[in-house]
Amino acid sequence: MDRNRNRILKVGLAAGLAFLILVGLGTWQLLRLKEKEALIARVSERMAAEPVPAPPPAEWPTLDLDRWSYRRVTLEGTYDFAREARVYVNLSEPRGPLKGPGYFVLTPLKLDGGGTVIVNRGFTPMSGGAVSRGASGRRASVTGPLREPEGRNLFTPADEPRQRLFFARDAKAIAAQLGIFEAAPFTVDAEASGPGGLPQGGETRVSFPNRHLEYALTWYGLAATLAVFVLTLALRRRRDGKDDRL
């Protein structure tokens, strides 16, 4: 009898610990949901705000990218088309007419006050099209969201610097491969398209997967299922114990 009681106690403790873990995971997902909703609201507000001058080179070494990310900024300078590069992208939800596999066209912009910012001038499809360039040194005024560097993961292909083809938009890394010194630690997405529509500007991708409520309900559901199972088991054992006494 004592052995059976000890076994029931161990099962109960294990089930109680598992229940607490499941509830904790569900609660953590609700906290993540609040954080994600706040992030989406913050980015939406920044994207709708009036543009401000981009941070100057003197501020780049200590720039708080979280505070600046997705803020609309303005830049003025001259394009260096001789050092233009591409970043592979599969544009699935475009704002313009073109979509599918292709490239973001990255062109260094030499600022009037010194320093260089890599500007994402927009999307061009892999199928081709005449990308507007012009002679290096052409003056340009750019308005668009400031973007922090993109991260990499195990599935990110290796860059092809000789082809000036990259698979993550990391301003510092790209600038180093292009031989650009005093480069900004951010890129800027141009909102306007080039003459003739290419590259297709205004294609800032704002994508924040938000399935935290679904995950929270899943964890809470598992916790509830476990509680019902343990309760059913306890009631059955209690009933069997009464039957044995009869």
Side-chain angles (χ1 to χ4, degrees):
M1 189 72 173
D2 289 340
R3 183 182 301 175
N4 193 34
R5 184 176 299 171
N6 288 337
R7 186 168 55 187
I8 294 174
L9 180 61
K10 289 179 180 179
V11 171
L13 289 174
L17 179 60
F19 178 82
L20 291 176
I21 291 174
L22 292 171
V23 170
L25 288 170
T27 302
W28 175 66
Q29 286 295 335
L30 288 182
L31 293 175
R32 292 285 292 123
L33 174 64
K34 287 180 127 181
E35 293 174 356
K36 188 61 67 67
E37 289 177 340
L39 173 62
I40 293 172
R42 183 166 64 250
V43 168
S44 299
E45 181 181 357
R46 290 178 179 181
M47 294 281 288
E50 289 297 313
V52 298
E59 298 180 10
W60 293 351
T62 58
L63 190 66
D64 184 352
L65 289 174
D66 284 340
R67 189 171 68 86
W68 278 92
S69 185
Y70 289 101
R71 290 187 185 277
R72 297 176 67 227
V73 299
T74 57
L75 302 165
E76 290 193 1
T78 55
Y79 274 130
D80 183 0
F81 292 106
R83 297 185 181 182
E84 196 164 78
R86 300 167 298 159
V87 170
Y88 175 81
V89 63
N90 191 353
L91 194 62
S92 57
E93 297 181 3
R95 291 179 173 81
L98 302 175
K99 65 178 181 179
Y103 310 99
F104 282 141
V105 179
L106 305 185
T107 309
L109 184 73
K110 298 179 180 178
L111 303 181
D112 294 340
T116 298
V117 174
I118 294 178
V119 174
N120 171 17
R121 295 199 296 128
F123 173 77
T124 181
M126 192 176 289
S127 56
V131 176
S132 170
R133 288 188 179 86
S136 289
R138 177 169 64 85
R139 287 194 55 75
S141 296
V142 177
T143 298
L146 183 150
R147 300 297 306 280
E148 58 187 336
E150 289 180 338
R152 290 178 174 272
N153 56 45
L154 294 174
F155 303 101
T156 304
D159 295 330
E160 300 177 16
R162 291 186 178 181
Q163 305 298 322
R164 294 186 182 175
L165 175 61
F166 300 88
F167 292 89
R169 197 163 25 150
D170 184 335
K172 283 290 190 180
I174 293 174
Q177 293 292 344
L178 298 178
I180 299 172
F181 304 99
E182 200 180 356
F186 55 83
T187 58
V188 172
D189 291 347
E191 293 177 345
S193 298
L198 285 177
Q200 180 173 281
E203 294 296 345
T204 298
R205 296 192 298 173
V206 182
S207 178
F208 302 109
N210 189 11
R211 300 179 63 185
H212 297 294
L213 180 59
E214 176 185 337
Y215 297 150
L217 293 176
T218 298
W219 290 121
Y220 285 143
L222 290 172
T225 301
L226 177 61
V228 170
F229 172 77
V230 172
L231 180 61
T232 301
L233 183 63
L235 291 174
R236 182 179 299 171
R237 286 187 175 276
R238 183 178 180 184
R239 183 191 62 197
D240 292 344
K242 286 183 177 179
D243 292 343
D244 290 341
R245 287 195 295 271
L246 294 174

